[in-house]
Amino acid sequence: MYKVCKFGGSSLANAEEWKKVKAIVESDDDRHIVVVSAIGKANKKDDKVTDLLYLIYQHHKYHVDFLPLFEAVKEKYLTIKRELNLNVDIESEFEEIKERIEDDDISEEELVSRGEYFSAKLMADYLGFDFVDSKELINFDYAGKIVEPETLECIERAVSVHEYMVVPGFYGSYPNYKICLFSRGGSDVTGSYMAKGAEADLYENFTDVSGFYMADPRIVDNPRHIAQISYDELRVLSYMGASVLHEETILPLIDVEIPIRVLNTNQPDDQGTWVKKHVSGRKHLVTGISGKKGYLAFSFIREKRPDNKLTSLLQVLDIFREYRVPIENIPTSIDSFCVVVEKDEIEEKYYDIIADLKKVPGIVRIDEDENLALVAVVGDNMVRKVCAPAQIFKVFSDNDVNVRLIDQGIDEYSIIVGVSNADFGKAIRALYDSFAHQKVSE
Ligand code: ASP
């Protein structure tokens, strides 16, 4: 067996957590590659190193003293080093980075990546593994898109040289060898590429919960644990708000079918959640329910002319493409269509986009609904049952939740419903109560 394991920021928040990580890694010789995040929060009031690094960059950019924050980050790493009696020299590297910030000689991406870098340096020393820099392994193009063949080749080469290694998550390099970051939470994706490049049998993702639950425990009390979930189901649930894994984690693994096991650093013997291409033997109709608030729906009312139907839609979509605003949903009807986007994605460009949208010929009116939440009901087993959408409507009408839009995926394993932000929690709880224990056979 060859295993890649990844430890998230909360599993590295203090020396006690590091000891748990070491015990886990050392309990199984098959754990050859360890991917680490930056140090995370030790408690609710604590700060994540990655957030502090972004702040340091901004402080310096706007000529505000960055040193207190810099010292706070440095102290987090030096405390781990001291408490675990480690030797690796990170002090001089911190000094060098400080000088480079002062000299405007470091990019934001490189500075932010140092959280993972220093975690990996210390972890390699602690475990007695080789440190291998992801800068040498993960290749991006200039658009920030991963170049998979080169990346896999580099990982393969590293695996042939280093039997046991620690790799920093979250970053790689552009073709000019400068640091490029994944999006936030991207160390999960580093782990996937490491697993694929190493042709691993298993990718273990250690975090601070024992895998996935049917709904967000902050919204639903004691939700049902999910023992197995398919790549496809997980992708929708993560995209729609389930935050345990980065939504792109599964992408590199789909074609090679390497399973992921999400495990808890604090309770490593819990069964966790298996994520696989195909899961079998599950009896429940619905696997998970997730959702997000903060969407904006633009409704476009068209002139009633048949030739106008496609052109106005295409022109509107083109405007969103130009401004690089991802579209979440496009429900259409005879004389109108709707475009749903995330509010955060549009905020800064809002007035420019509106001005351009108003110029599209054939549109008589544009309405906006800015209090939209989307809720996803997901389950491979729904394919085998005709009643799921009807049950969702019934749940909502029984609970006075007004449905603003509904979209059933072509593959029929996900149904996405739009409700108002105010109804979000109520909608998730009502759906959970209705579907939590329902079996396919019922
Ligand atoms: N440290 C980075 C973040 O906070 C990446 C990661 O932890 O995966 O987003």
Side-chain angles (χ1 to χ4, degrees), residues 151-379:
T151 297
L152 299 182
E153 231 172 78
C154 292
I155 295 171
E156 217 180 290
R157 226 177 298 133
V159 167
S160 68
V161 179
H162 307 277
E163 191 181 359
Y164 290 98
M165 62 178 133
V166 177
V167 173
F170 192 37
Y171 71 92
S173 54
Y174 290 108
N176 62 4
Y177 209 49
K178 294 228 182 319
I179 297 284
C180 174
L181 297 178
F182 283 107
S183 56
R184 293 298 304 263
S187 301
D188 289 336
V189 190
T190 307
S192 297
Y193 282 105
M194 293 308 300
K196 185 169 188 172
E199 296 180 20
D201 301 290
L202 178 62
Y203 171 19
E204 295 176 319
N205 191 296
F206 285 89
T207 176
D208 52 4
V209 288
S210 297
F212 285 89
Y213 291 84
M214 191 177 158
D216 187 337
R218 288 166 300 187
I219 302 175
V220 170
D221 288 336
N222 271 323
R224 186 163 58 76
H225 177 258
I226 304 175
Q228 298 181 58
I229 188 166
S230 71
Y231 291 147
D232 288 337
E233 291 173 324
L234 178 60
R235 181 150 160 73
V236 184
L237 287 174
S238 308
Y239 187 72
M240 292 300 301
S243 58
V244 180
L245 285 185
H246 188 288
E247 69 197 49
E248 287 166 23
T249 310
I250 57 139
L251 295 182
L253 304 178
I254 295 175
D255 55 342
V256 284
E257 297 189 28
I258 297 173
I260 307 171
R261 201 169 171 200
V262 182
L263 290 161
N264 190 342
T265 307
N266 302 304
Q267 277 150 19
D269 295 329
D270 282 1
Q271 63 164 332
T273 298
W274 282 94
V275 186
K276 300 175 183 167
K277 181 141 184 175
H278 301 291
V279 291
S280 55
R282 289 181 314 178
K283 306 260 179 318
H284 289 98
L285 180 65
V286 167
T287 307
I289 298 164
S290 67
K292 275 200 271 191
K293 290 187 193 176
Y295 290 92
L296 176 59
F298 292 97
S299 297
F300 299 87
I301 319 298
R302 292 187 272 233
E303 276 174 17
K304 294 182 178 39
R305 287 192 345 242
D307 60 320
N308 174 33
K309 259 179 133 169
L310 197 56
T311 26
S312 55
L313 174 62
L314 288 176
Q315 284 180 13
V316 164
L317 296 184
D318 215 34
I319 291 170
F320 286 100
R321 186 182 56 83
E322 260 171 46
Y323 285 93
R324 293 172 173 268
V325 176
I327 293 173
E328 301 299 324
N329 227 296
I330 321 169
T332 60
S333 58
I334 301 172
D335 292 320
S336 68
F337 60 91
C338 185
V339 175
V340 181
V341 297
E342 268 193 73
K343 255 174 133 175
D344 285 353
E345 294 282 352
I346 202 168
E347 231 148 38
E348 285 166 17
K349 317 158 191 169
Y350 176 82
Y351 290 104
D352 295 333
I353 293 179
I354 287 289
D356 285 357
L357 288 175
K358 284 188 173 157
K359 290 183 208 147
V360 175
I363 301 285
V364 288
R365 208 176 79 223
I366 306 174
D367 293 339
E368 285 175 42
D369 178 352
E370 57 162 356
N371 287 309
L372 191 69
L374 297 182
V375 175
V377 180
V378 179

Side-chain angles (χ1 to χ4, degrees), residues 6-10 36-40 48-51 54 112 115-116 169-171 182-190 246:
K6 179 253 164 181
F7 293 88
S10 55
V36 285
S37 287
I39 292 179
K48 281 178 96 171
V49 160
T50 306
D51 295 334
Y54 273 112
V112 170
E116 273 61 21
F170 192 37
Y171 71 92
F182 283 107
S183 56
R184 293 298 304 263
S187 301
D188 289 336
V189 190
T190 307
H246 188 288

